[in-house]
Amino acid sequence: MNMLMKNNVERWELVKGNTTNDKKYPSAQPLYRSLDENLNDIRTTLGNSSDLVTRPFSIHKTSAAVLYMDGLVDKNTVQNFILESLMLEVSEKRHFTHHLYESIKEANLPIGEMSEVEDKQDLLKKLLSGETILLLDKQTKALSASTKGWRDRGVQETTSESVIRGPKEAFTETIRTNTALLRRKIKDPNLRVEAKTIGRKTCTDIAVVYLEGTAEKEVLDQVKERLNQIDIDAVLESGYIEEFIQDAQYSPFPTVYNSEKPDAIAGGILEGRVAILIDGTPNVLLVPALFVNFMQSSEDYYQRADIGTLVRLLRLFCFSVALFMPSIYIAFTTFHQEMIPPPLLISLASQREGVPFPAFVEALMMELTFEVLREAGVRLPKPVGSAVSIVGALVLGQSAVQAGLVSPAMVIVVAITAISSFVFPAYNMAISIRILRFPLMILAATFGLFGIILGMIAMVFHLCSLQSFGKPYMAPLAPMIGKDQKDVLIRLPHWGLLSRPSFFTKSDQKRVDSKSKER
C-alpha cells in the first residue's frame, strides 16, 4: 500500500516538472506583409492540401483572400456573411472612416465571433479548427471568423446507459453541442465553461464546466493544474485525459467518473463537482468520483424514493455476488465441505463425480470462456454479436457439462456472477470487479475462506487509502458523515434532501427550502 502511494507521489512530482513553459510547441512566427507570401507559406505548410480553399479578390484596389478548410465550415455562412459582404457591400463603399482593415474588423462583417490573428501557428490552428481566415495585402494581421459547420451525428439516444424513465438524450462528439446540453439543464448564470486546448498535434478542445460558488476552489485548482501539466501530442478520447489526471495510477478501482448522459453530469455539477468535456468523444469526465457514485444512477432520482433505495441495495448485493461468489464456491467445495448442508453436498459430489479438474480450474476455465464470449459479443456487429454471445454461452455450457469438463453447479455459479456484473450503471466499475475476481479465486483455492477474508481486508484497506482530488474515496462511509447518509445506501424523498453532500462542497449547501416541505 505504501509503495502504491509512493509511486503515485513520484508520478505527480515527475508530471509537475513538465510546466507549460517546457512544452515544445512551435515558436511564434509573424505573418508577412505580402499577401502572396502568406498564401504561398500557408499552402506549403499544409502540403498543398486539396481541401484548402483559397478565394482571392480585391477590395478598393487592395488584394485580399479568404481561406477555409472544406468540410469544416458552413459554406452558406462563408458565402452569405463573409464573401458577399466583402465583395459586394464593402466594395461599393467609397469612403471609410477608418483604415480598410479596421473598418472591416469593426463594422463590415456580420459574424458574431471574430478574433485577430498575428501569428502563423495561431492562424493555422484556427484554420484547421473550422474558422475562416481573411488576409489583406500589406497587413501583418489577419481576421478569423467562426464559421464551424462540420457534420455530426446529432443528439441521439444513449447506447451504453439505457434508462426506463428519464431523459434519453446523450452527448455527441461535438463539444459545443455538449456544452449546450448542459446549459439546457442548468440555466444558472454561475455555470462556468472554461476552454483549454491539449495536444500538440490534435489541438483538442477541452471545456471545464463547474458551478461557481458551489464547486470547491481547492478541487477546481487541482483540476486546472493537472490539465495544464498534460503535455501529449494527441488526445483522441477522454480516456487520454483520465489517465493523466486520476489519483491512483495502479488501482483497479476508477477514481474518475465518466458518462454520456447530460442529466447525470448536470446532477454531479449541481452537487459541486467539476465536469471535463473533450471534443471528439461523447464520454464526459466528472471529478471527484467516490465509490458510492459508481453504485448510483441518475434514474434513482426519477423513481420514487423507496424504489430508488431498493435498487441501490440490490446493486450492493450484486457487487458482493459478482466479486465473491466464485471464490466462495471454490472455498466451500475444496476446504469447507462441512459448511454445506448434507443434501446439497451429496448433489454437488454426484455432479463432480466425473469431472477431472479441481473446482478452481473449473471456475477459471468457465470465467475465461465467458470473458471471451463477452468481448466477442461487444466487438461483433450488433445483429450478430448478441446471437453469438447468447447461443455461444448456452452451447458451450451444455457441451462442457455433457463432456464432463465442468459440473452443472459451476455453470450456474458463473452465470449468476456474470448477470450480477451487468447490474452496475458504471461500466468501469464492472471491469474492476472482473479484474479482482481472479485474485480472490486464487486466494480461495489456496487458503479457503481465510484467503477470501484476507483478500477482503486488503481490498477494504486499499479502498480507504484512495482519494479522488483530495476527497476520501469511501466518503461518506469512511470517514462516516452522518448528515450525508440520506443519499448513499438509501435515498430520501426530494423534499428530504435539504442540503448538498458536504464532502463535495462546503458552501452553498442549501438545496431545498424547509418551508417547501410544509403541506
Side-chain angles (χ1 to χ4, degrees), residues 87-155:
M87 300 175 69
L88 297 180
E89 298 178 10
V90 178
S91 297
E92 291 176 357
K93 292 185 179 181
R94 297 185 178 181
H95 302 285
F96 292 97
T97 56
H98 300 84
H99 187 271
L100 176 61
Y101 174 83
E102 297 295 334
S103 299
I104 294 175
K105 174 184 174 182
E106 294 178 4
N108 292 107
L109 281 184
I111 296 293
E113 185 179 347
M114 184 179 294
S115 59
E116 199 171 56
V117 183
E118 301 183 26
D119 175 60
K120 174 187 172 183
Q121 296 301 328
D122 191 21
L123 184 149
L124 291 173
K125 175 184 173 182
K126 291 180 179 296
L127 180 65
L128 296 173
S129 297
E131 299 193 9
T132 299
I133 306 298
L134 171 63
L135 291 170
L136 294 177
D137 193 24
K138 298 180 181 179
Q139 279 291 334
T140 58
K141 300 178 182 179
L143 292 177
S144 174
S146 179
T147 55
K148 299 175 183 177
W150 53 75
R151 293 185 177 274
D152 56 19
R153 63 185 177 95
V155 179

Side-chain angles (χ1 to χ4, degrees), residues 65-79:
V66 167
L67 295 83
Y68 61 88
M69 302 301 294
D70 190 16
L72 296 182
V73 302
D74 183 357
K75 290 186 177 180
N76 291 328
T77 302
V78 176
Q79 177 68 32

Side-chain angles (χ1 to χ4, degrees), residues 253-516:
F253 293 98
T255 55
V256 177
Y257 186 84
N258 72 83
S259 175
E260 62 174 349
K261 287 179 59 60
D263 57 321
I265 300 300
I269 294 174
L270 291 171
E271 288 181 341
R273 294 193 275 173
V274 181
I276 305 172
L277 286 70
I278 296 91
D279 191 29
T281 174
N283 294 294
V284 175
L285 306 181
L286 192 65
V287 294
L290 309 184
F291 179 80
V292 294
N293 299 136
F294 295 95
M295 295 295 159
Q296 300 172 353
S297 171
S298 59
E299 194 174 2
D300 297 347
Y301 299 93
Y302 308 146
Q303 304 285 355
R304 293 202 321 264
D306 53 348
I307 298 176
T309 299
L310 177 62
V311 173
R312 285 187 181 180
L313 295 177
L314 180 64
R315 291 193 193 109
L316 290 173
F317 172 74
C318 291
F319 175 83
S320 302
V321 171
L323 190 59
F324 295 109
M325 191 168 184
S327 313
I328 293 175
Y329 178 83
I330 293 172
F332 277 20
T333 56
T334 306
F335 294 98
H336 310 285
Q337 294 90 347
E338 69 279 0
M339 299 183 67
I340 305 176
L344 179 60
L345 180 61
I346 294 172
S347 175
L348 293 176
S350 61
Q351 293 177 21
R352 291 186 46 81
E353 185 176 359
V355 177
F357 305 110
F360 170 70
V361 177
E362 262 190 286
L364 188 63
M365 287 193 306
M366 291 300 297
E367 288 290 346
L368 290 176
T369 302
F370 182 79
E371 293 298 331
V372 171
L373 288 172
R374 189 205 306 254
E375 287 300 313
V378 172
R379 307 304 166 198
L380 286 171
K382 281 187 177 181
V384 183
S386 58
V388 169
S389 58
I390 295 174
V391 176
L394 292 174
V395 172
L396 287 177
Q398 184 68 23
S399 301
V401 171
Q402 292 180 352
L405 298 177
V406 296
S407 61
M410 179 57 71
V411 176
I412 296 174
V413 168
V414 173
I416 294 176
T417 303
I419 294 172
S420 298
S421 64
F422 290 125
V423 174
F424 308 108
Y427 179 71
N428 47 0
M429 179 58 73
I431 294 178
S432 302
I433 295 173
R434 290 160 59 184
I435 294 173
L436 292 172
R437 191 184 300 153
F438 291 97
L440 288 172
M441 289 167 54
I442 296 174
L443 289 173
T446 307
F447 303 107
L449 285 178
F450 300 103
I452 297 177
I453 295 173
L454 181 64
M456 186 188 306
I457 293 174
M459 185 179 68
V460 171
F461 281 171
H462 175 66
L463 285 171
C464 293
S465 69
L466 292 177
Q467 288 189 344
S468 179
F469 287 81
K471 304 297 181 181
Y473 191 62
M474 292 302 294
L477 301 175
M480 176 64 70
I481 305 175
K483 63 179 181 179
D484 291 332
Q485 299 302 315
K486 57 185 176 293
D487 190 22
V488 180
L489 300 180
I490 63 172
R491 182 183 80 77
L492 294 183
H494 286 290
W495 49 260
L497 302 176
L498 301 178
S499 60
R500 292 182 174 85
S502 61
F503 48 86
F504 283 141
T505 178
K506 296 295 188 295
S507 59
D508 190 25
Q509 289 194 2
K510 191 174 182 180
R511 175 181 277 171
V512 178
D513 191 346
S514 58
K515 295 181 181 179
S516 65

